[in-house]
Amino acid sequence: CRIEAARLRRNGLPWWHSEIPAYFLVSAAMALGLAAATGPLAVPFFLAQSAVAVLLFESVNYLEHYGLERREVGPGRFEPVQPQHSWDSPARITNHVMFKLQRHADHHAHAGK
């Protein structure tokens, strides 16, 4: 949240321009919609599934960034991210099965994609 707050301050934007509250609101809306459609007993299952999804996502995120090092080119400035700075796999089957997760270096080099 500190990084997002700094980004908002740097760009002169108010807090409601942050994407973080929107993610929580969408999750809450999904939980309420699920409760309305199937009953309130479904909400604990939704929360448990969400916790498992976050755990899996963060586990993969850790594996992909483990050992990520870049040279410092100036005080607090590092060399641009290149493919050698993160895990990557060019296999086509992995591309289809893992929804392009293996193109991780490209995600850092071209974050807007």
Side-chain angles (χ1 to χ4, degrees):
C1 288
R2 286 178 291 152
I3 294 171
E4 179 68 2
R7 182 189 71 83
L8 292 172
R9 271 195 309 276
R10 188 173 55 250
N11 293 326
L13 297 171
W15 67 269
W16 62 83
H17 281 264
S18 172
E19 294 176 359
I20 295 171
Y23 297 143
F24 284 106
L25 289 173
V26 167
S27 293
M30 288 176 64
L32 289 172
L34 183 65
T38 62
L41 290 177
V43 174
F45 289 101
F46 173 78
L47 296 174
Q49 177 276 329
S50 298
V52 170
V54 168
L55 179 65
L56 289 172
F57 174 78
E58 291 302 336
S59 297
V60 169
N61 197 33
Y62 174 78
L63 288 172
E64 290 181 340
H65 292 93
Y66 179 78
L68 177 65
E69 290 185 22
R70 295 183 291 153
R71 281 184 304 116
E72 191 168 8
V73 295
R77 293 184 56 238
F78 294 88
E79 68 180 318
V81 176
Q82 298 295 319
Q84 68 267 21
H85 293 125
S86 64
W87 172 81
D88 212 354
S89 172
R92 283 184 187 238
I93 188 69
T94 310
N95 185 36
H96 297 302
V97 172
M98 298 184 73
F99 307 105
K100 299 187 181 191
L101 182 63
Q102 87 290 358
R103 302 299 297 163
H104 187 251
D106 187 61
H107 144 78
H108 282 283
H110 310 286
K113 275 185 161 180

